[in-house]
Every structure is written in C-alpha cells, then in structure tokens.
Amino acid sequence: MSQMIFVNLPVSDVAASTRFYEAIGCRKNEQFSDDKASSMVWSDKITFQLLRRDYFASFSTKPVADARAACQVMLCLSRDSRADVDSLVETAAKAGGKADTRAPIDMSFMYNRAFEDPDGHAYELVWMNPNGMP
C-alpha cells in the first residue's frame, strides 16, 4: 500500500460538512461513510474523514478542540495555479466556509491564501513556481 494521509476532523453536522467538502472538490467514498462519518476523497493520497464530534471523541482520551476557538492544526494543500488558489477559496466561501482568515501571501514565486471549513478547521492553499524561487 502506498503512503497516504487520512485527516480525521470532528464536525458538528456530517451531512452539511459532506456538502461543503463535495463543493470544494472532494468525492464521497460511500464504502467508508455512514451517519457517524463521511470519507471524503481529495486525491488518491489524501482523504478527509469527517467524524461526528461524539464519534471523533471515542478515538481519543483528550478533549476534542473547538476549531472555531483554537487552531489545533493548519492543513496546507497545493494547487496548480494562482487562479486555482483563488477559485477554491471563493468556492469554500460560497459553500459555507470562511475565506481569507488572514491576509493572502504573495511572494511572486509563491502565492498562498487561507480559508476555514464550516467547523472552523484551518486550510492554506498554496501555488509555487519552483523556477521563480530566489
């Protein structure tokens, strides 16, 4: 099996979160989804597991953080172009997320914007031009 990442996220409403992640380009894997969780495939190597908060809590002895109140992790996803970064941030906002949770970063060879999903999980989108790096 190749190396993959499964990002488990606590969510307050599995159905609403599923719609949001579909809007930003994920595909729901029905085989690993039910009323407690949605398995949302971003790419052949990255899957977001959206777990109802009480179900998520059953996997840890630690308290479950409220992503709206504290940043527990920041997930960075690469995009193929600056336009792809802008488009996905706008799509996230229209689908119920929050766009530009901090100022965009434009270093000419690297472009980065941030958004949050409806539960407050932090995402960064980045495009880099390796030929333009100083």
Side-chain angles (χ1 to χ4, degrees):
M1 182 172 164
S2 64
Q3 292 183 337
M4 301 171 67
I5 186 167
F6 295 85
V7 179
N8 295 285
L9 299 170
V11 300
S12 57
D13 184 330
V14 173
S17 292
T18 298
R19 289 189 296 275
F20 174 83
Y21 281 82
E22 286 174 331
I24 65 167
C26 291
R27 176 187 50 81
K28 184 177 179 182
N29 181 340
E30 295 289 348
Q31 184 179 4
F32 298 105
S33 300
D34 57 24
D35 64 323
K36 297 179 292 196
S38 277
S39 179
M40 305 303 294
V41 179
W42 172 262
S43 71
D44 61 342
K45 304 279 188 210
I46 302 169
T47 298
F48 299 105
Q49 297 292 119
L50 310 176
L51 308 177
R52 199 174 62 208
R53 288 185 70 79
D54 61 331
Y55 184 53
F56 182 96
S58 72
F59 293 97
S60 178
T61 58
K62 296 179 181 181
V64 177
D66 178 354
R68 288 187 188 99
C71 187
Q72 61 190 15
V73 67
M74 192 174 302
L75 304 164
C76 186
L77 303 170
S78 63
R79 305 303 296 157
D80 290 332
S81 69
R82 293 171 63 98
D84 285 349
V85 169
D86 291 337
S87 177
L88 190 52
V89 169
E90 301 310 317
T91 298
K94 289 177 186 168
K98 185 176 177 184
D100 295 318
T101 52
R102 56 139 180 82
I105 298 170
D106 189 348
M107 301 174 74
S108 72
F109 71 93
M110 183 186 79
Y111 181 62
N112 178 286
R113 287 179 68 186
F115 72 88
E116 291 179 358
D117 75 2
D119 286 280
H121 299 109
Y123 285 86
E124 302 241 335
L125 299 174
V126 66
W127 165 82
M128 290 186 70
N129 176 0
N131 297 327
M133 292 175 38

